[in-house]
Amino acid sequence: MSDVSFDSNKHDQTRQDATRGAESLKTAADGIDTFADAQVESVWGEEAGVDAARRALQESYFTLRDGFNGEQEHVLDFGTKVDETEKSFRQMEEQNANYFSQAAADMSQDPAVAAAAAGSGAGTGAGSSGSAYQTSPSESQDNTDPNAAGSSE
């Protein structure tokens, strides 16, 4: 059976990844914005072709900046969803533990369950002879079905 329990130590190692990643994307977007703002006419000149190239470069920078800002939002959203999933998983684990604890307590109070446990040879109480007859796997195998696994017919 696989272990699906939540390990907060493993999550703690990556807990800040979304926030730090978003901060890095914001830093990149701010840097790109600075490059776009630096493309001024006084440096490029006033000729029509040069001005068109300057504006096209600025638009490219703005498009790139907007892309980084959009990715920042996606990364933060993902981080939020991871945190919400962790919280939900912890709540579910707690609910399951409470449910099974209550079920075990209820079963331990039920006389029929206690009698069944005693009669199954699980204990040494009434119904347990201490020398229960056990069949070997070949004695308990259904040899009447020729398609059964292990059948020699």
Side-chain angles (χ1 to χ4, degrees):
M1 178 176 195
S2 63
D3 180 14
V4 295
S5 64
F6 181 78
D7 185 347
S8 61
N9 292 329
K10 290 180 182 174
H11 184 60
D12 283 343
Q13 295 171 0
T14 59
R15 186 174 302 281
Q16 301 303 319
D17 283 358
T19 304
R20 289 182 182 147
E23 288 169 358
S24 295
L25 290 166
K26 173 77 171 118
T27 300
D30 290 347
I32 292 167
D33 213 24
T34 301
F35 280 131
D37 290 342
Q39 309 310 313
V40 293
E41 189 176 327
S42 63
V43 174
W44 279 74
E46 298 177 13
E47 295 175 9
V50 172
D51 189 52
R54 178 184 68 83
R55 289 176 194 243
L57 181 60
Q58 278 184 314
E59 285 304 313
S60 295
Y61 279 136
F62 292 145
T63 300
L64 190 58
R65 175 205 60 202
D66 294 345
F68 276 96
N69 284 330
E71 281 302 307
Q72 175 191 12
E73 292 173 23
H74 292 302
V75 168
L76 288 174
D77 184 49
F78 177 76
T80 299
K81 288 178 181 177
V82 167
D83 292 341
E84 290 170 353
T85 301
E86 174 189 357
K87 181 180 176 183
S88 295
F89 195 86
R90 286 180 190 265
Q91 288 173 341
M92 184 181 297
E93 276 190 319
E94 186 176 313
Q95 290 170 350
N96 288 341
N98 291 340
Y99 172 82
F100 287 117
S101 292
Q102 184 61 46
D106 291 347
M107 286 176 30
S108 69
Q109 300 297 321
D110 188 338
V113 172
S120 70
T124 57
S128 176
S129 65
S131 60
Y133 174 76
Q134 294 184 355
T135 61
S136 69
S138 62
E139 290 174 324
S140 62
Q141 182 176 346
D142 179 9
N143 290 325
T144 60
D145 181 2
N147 294 319
S151 174
S152 59
E153 297 179 56

